[in-house]
Amino acid sequence: MTTKRRWFWGSFFILGAVLLVASRLGWISAQFGFWQLLTGIFLLAIVIFSVAHRTISGTVFGLAFLAILFAKPLGITALAPWTILGVALLVTIGLSLILNPHNYFKTKFYSYRSNQNNHWNGQATTERMTTDEAETTVRVNMSSSIRYLQSQNFTHARIDARLGNVKLYLTDVRLAPTGATIDVSASLSGVELYLPKDWPVKFALANNLADIDEKGQHLPGNGPTVVIQGNLSLSGLVIYYV
């Protein structure tokens, strides 16, 4: 690391320490928690680093995460985290097309299927797929996926999202007699689940600066139960009861 860089980053983190002390002493009108401010300093460092290296995705998503983290002081609490991340994804794609189209179109996309599961990985694109397996897996990385399930004996779904968006439709699914589980592992992502309104649903999620919302009228019956479990980190999960 050059002397200039050492001075810059050293001064940056010292300024972060000053802001942290000022916030705790009430010198700043807006009150921030210790971990909130520490995370904000880290994200700001990522944004500055991304700007310096002309990295579109790092800059846009870094700003998006800052917006999610400080939504209340910014007055944008009406925007769910998954909405902000969706906007960031679209802005990233748009800027990539405008500013760097040649490298953008070189991005590789691939999909593969196994006997029991469907897996997908991609970059800066949207996948749409309909499957009828009892088990399914959706993986996204800096991309989007829309999956429609039509299984008559659904038992398990796994969602693994990193800097992306996932929509999983289970409205045409029949649960296995023993019930089903949906494992969600989301980091800086938005996940939407569309479930029949009469399904009994149980949550077992670890929440780290994430938002969980339920929409629609939930009228659970006496049938098998769906357990939604996993980890959410700086992400949004929305359950739509249809």
Side-chain angles (χ1 to χ4, degrees):
M1 184 181 289
T2 65
T3 302
K4 186 180 293 185
R5 285 189 176 183
R6 288 201 303 269
W7 272 96
F8 173 79
W9 289 112
S11 302
F12 178 85
F13 284 106
I14 291 173
L15 177 61
V18 172
L19 289 175
L20 183 60
V21 172
S23 173
R24 304 305 291 177
L25 293 177
W27 296 348
I28 301 176
S29 58
Q31 293 295 314
F32 305 109
F34 174 80
W35 290 110
Q36 182 186 22
L37 192 56
L38 193 63
T39 304
I41 294 170
F42 175 73
L43 289 173
L44 184 58
I46 292 176
V47 171
I48 295 174
F49 181 84
S50 299
V51 171
H53 288 78
R54 299 180 182 179
T55 304
I56 296 173
S57 59
T59 303
V60 175
F61 275 96
L63 291 173
F65 304 146
L66 283 170
I68 293 172
L69 191 63
F70 297 103
K72 189 173 181 180
L74 293 173
I76 57 172
T77 54
L79 295 177
W82 65 267
T83 302
I84 297 174
L85 292 173
V87 170
L89 178 62
L90 294 175
V91 171
T92 299
I93 295 173
L95 290 177
S96 297
L97 285 169
I98 294 170
L99 302 178
N100 201 10
H102 297 293
N103 288 340
Y104 176 82
F105 283 110
K106 289 180 181 178
T107 299
K108 294 182 179 180
F109 164 78
Y110 63 91
S111 63
Y112 63 90
R113 299 187 64 174
S114 64
N115 292 331
Q116 294 182 339
N117 299 308
N118 288 319
H119 304 266
W120 178 85
N121 288 274
Q123 292 286 337
T125 186
T126 299
E127 169 252 18
R128 294 175 183 266
M129 183 182 294
T130 300
T131 61
D132 57 3
E133 284 80 1
E135 300 185 18
T136 190
T137 297
V138 186
R139 290 193 177 99
V140 299
N141 182 16
M142 290 285 292
S143 54
S144 298
S145 178
I146 302 175
R147 185 72 58 88
Y148 301 88
L149 267 62
Q150 297 178 346
S151 173
Q152 296 303 302
N153 189 42
F154 174 65
T155 59
H156 181 250
R158 177 172 179 79
I159 297 172
D160 190 355
R162 298 291 179 270
L163 295 173
N165 286 278
V166 175
K167 291 184 180 181
L168 182 60
Y169 290 83
L170 300 169
T171 50
D172 294 328
V173 164
R174 180 175 297 175
L175 292 174
T178 54
T181 58
I182 301 175
D183 289 301
V184 181
S185 177
S187 178
L188 306 171
S189 299
V191 177
E192 299 177 31
L193 301 177
Y194 293 80
L195 310 180
K197 61 184 178 181
D198 59 344
W199 279 8
V201 176
K202 180 180 178 181
F203 293 94
L205 290 162
N207 187 338
N208 180 22
L209 295 175
D211 180 60
I212 301 173
D213 193 14
E214 295 178 88
K215 297 186 177 183
Q217 191 173 18
H218 189 201
L219 302 171
N222 297 320
T225 299
V226 173
V227 179
I228 302 175
Q229 59 189 20
N231 295 279
L232 300 175
S233 179
L234 284 171
S235 299
L237 172 64
V238 183
I239 312 296
Y240 292 91
Y241 296 107
V242 182

